[in-house]
Amino acid sequence: MWHGGTTFGRFTGGPFIITSYDYDVAIDEFGFPHNPKYTRSAELHAVLHKFESYLLGNEPSTPIILGPNQNATVYGGNSSLVFLSNVDGDNSYTVHFNGNSYSLAAWSVQILFNNEVVYDTSLSSASSTTTPSPVVTIPTGVYFKETVGIWNQSLALFDSIPLEQIDTTNDTSDYLWNVQKVVIPSGGATLVLENTNDLARVFIDGNFIGGGRGPTITVTIPANYTGTHELEILTITVGLVNYALHMEAYSRGLGSVTLGSQNITQGHWAFIPGTQGENLKVYTDKGSSLVKWSSGWPNNSGLTWYKSTFSLPSDPANSLGWAIDMLGLTKDLVWVNSL
């Protein structure tokens, strides 16, 4: 495989499979040459193409033993195309073939034509390094905090048990809010979510309490939340299963919910698909104007939209484009110019 690319948007197999389809290939997921592999692979292909008549017009010889882990494979006679190989992964070895000596690096192959080396896998050519592109720092901009829970009553759904997430969101969002009034016993309680996938974030009265990765998630609710409170659980999908038998049987969202000794799976649940920012499309000019943005970029701030503007310098040497380094983010979606 020369170029794997990127699985954009929410279309990635899963759960928990990264969006990169790179696999250390010659052209990385951003379209940049991945050297030395790119250049060396191109040079190898050029050699194979140049001597294709020998490869396709002759049967390979029976391997000629040149050492304990070294051999030669000949196409078209000893004076034609020859592959010398050293499969010893640790040691180099000097072999003798057709009256000549050849030094083979560990785990390498040399291709000879008329006894001259035309390709050596152990060598790097002068052009096999890539000049890194300039780094463009995206300046700190503004942020918008998501509303926790039912952010629009007119869009809320209601049921006595948790709803299956993909059906409820119509597969248009990775997020589903699950909200219910609960009575927390004196001294606090342990909230246990079972058969819950893929992730969940738990809030009480809009305050973040904890979360985790399914299928079983346990969160301790502090003693200061004794009494009647609103329990808000954000369930999150992280990639959807797009292969394997009976995909239709896979379920996402909340399963059973236990608060202390009380099973609250059945109750008065309210749901709202997606987040407020997704609904308003705050990544567009029109949607961005519908919410109040604050200055700065707070760290470790969940459920937050970040916005900034940046300029790319005119760089003729960088003809392949640019990539955004997302290192440091966890579960996130990114838009550039509303796309």
Side-chain angles (χ1 to χ4, degrees):
M1 183 168 67
W2 272 80
H3 174 48
T6 305
T7 304
F8 289 102
R10 298 173 53 249
F11 186 77
T12 180
F16 300 102
I17 295 177
I18 62 174
T19 57
S20 170
Y21 199 72
D22 191 320
Y23 292 100
D24 192 35
V25 290
I27 301 175
D28 70 18
E29 65 174 313
F30 309 114
F32 294 113
H34 181 197
N35 276 315
K37 182 172 290 186
Y38 173 83
T39 300
R40 295 298 286 148
S41 297
E43 292 170 346
L44 173 60
H45 280 241
V47 169
L48 298 179
H49 179 64
K50 181 178 181 179
F51 298 105
E52 63 181 338
S53 60
Y54 291 89
L55 294 170
L56 300 178
N58 298 281
E59 291 292 333
S61 69
T62 300
I64 302 169
I65 304 302
L66 303 177
N69 292 292
Q70 298 75 31
N71 60 54
T73 302
V74 180
Y75 290 82
N78 287 349
S79 61
S80 297
L81 195 67
V82 181
F83 288 74
L84 303 179
S85 63
N86 177 16
V87 298
D88 187 325
D90 300 312
N91 303 297
S92 59
Y93 200 89
T94 299
V95 299
H96 302 280
F97 182 78
N98 264 6
N100 298 298
S101 296
Y102 301 93
S103 180
L104 301 178
W107 197 252
S108 71
V109 174
Q110 287 183 11
I111 303 176
L112 313 181
F113 182 69
N114 289 338
N115 299 319
E116 296 291 332
V117 178
V118 295
Y119 188 83
D120 185 342
T121 62
S122 68
L123 301 179
S124 294
S125 64
S127 60
S128 65
T129 58
T130 300
T131 301
S133 299
V135 174
V136 177
T137 301
I138 298 178
T140 298
V142 293
Y143 72 96
F144 159 64
K145 290 285 291 182
E146 274 286 338
T147 301
V148 174
I150 306 300
W151 43 266
N152 188 327
Q153 290 291 335
S154 66
L155 298 177
L157 306 172
F158 302 92
D159 209 302
S160 60
I161 58 174
L163 299 177
E164 201 283 327
Q165 180 157 342
I166 298 175
D167 286 342
T168 306
T169 62
N170 198 26
D171 194 22
T172 58
S173 173
D174 287 344
Y175 302 95
L176 177 65
W177 283 106
N178 310 258
V179 179
Q180 183 182 175
K181 288 284 187 181
V182 296
V183 177
I184 301 173
S186 176
T190 299
L191 180 73
V192 180
L193 312 177
E194 295 185 288
N195 299 318
T196 297
N197 291 292
D198 296 312
L199 303 173
R201 298 291 181 261
V202 177
F203 299 78
I204 299 290
D205 299 335
N207 300 310
F208 178 68
I209 302 298
R213 173 175 175 173
T216 300
I217 301 169
T218 301
V219 175
T220 299
I221 299 177
N224 57 305
Y225 284 103
T226 299
T228 301
H229 296 273
E230 189 162 79
L231 170 66
E232 301 116 344
I233 303 174
L234 180 66
T235 48
I236 308 167
T237 58
V238 187
L240 302 177
V241 175
N242 58 13
Y243 58 91
L245 295 174
H246 303 296
M247 291 188 297
E248 74 281 359
Y250 283 78
S251 177
R252 289 294 178 266
L254 274 183
S256 63
V257 184
T258 303
L259 180 62
S261 60
Q262 182 183 7
N263 189 320
I264 60 171
T265 306
Q266 190 161 2
H268 300 284
W269 289 99
F271 310 90
I272 190 163
T275 65
Q276 183 181 20
E278 287 178 307
N279 181 263
L280 296 176
K281 298 182 179 180
V282 297
Y283 46 85
T284 65
D285 289 339
K286 180 180 179 180
S288 178
S289 66
L290 299 177
V291 299
K292 182 179 180 181
W293 298 86
S294 301
S295 298
W297 276 10
N299 293 325
N300 301 316
S301 177
L303 299 180
T304 303
W305 292 83
Y306 299 91
K307 184 175 72 167
S308 181
T309 58
F310 60 95
S311 298
L312 297 179
S314 176
D315 181 14
N318 181 24
S319 59
L320 293 174
W322 298 81
I324 298 177
D325 184 354
M326 304 308 299
L327 185 65
L329 292 178
T330 51
K331 164 65 178 173
D332 55 86
L333 297 169
V334 180
W335 286 262
V336 177
N337 294 340
S338 301
L339 299 175

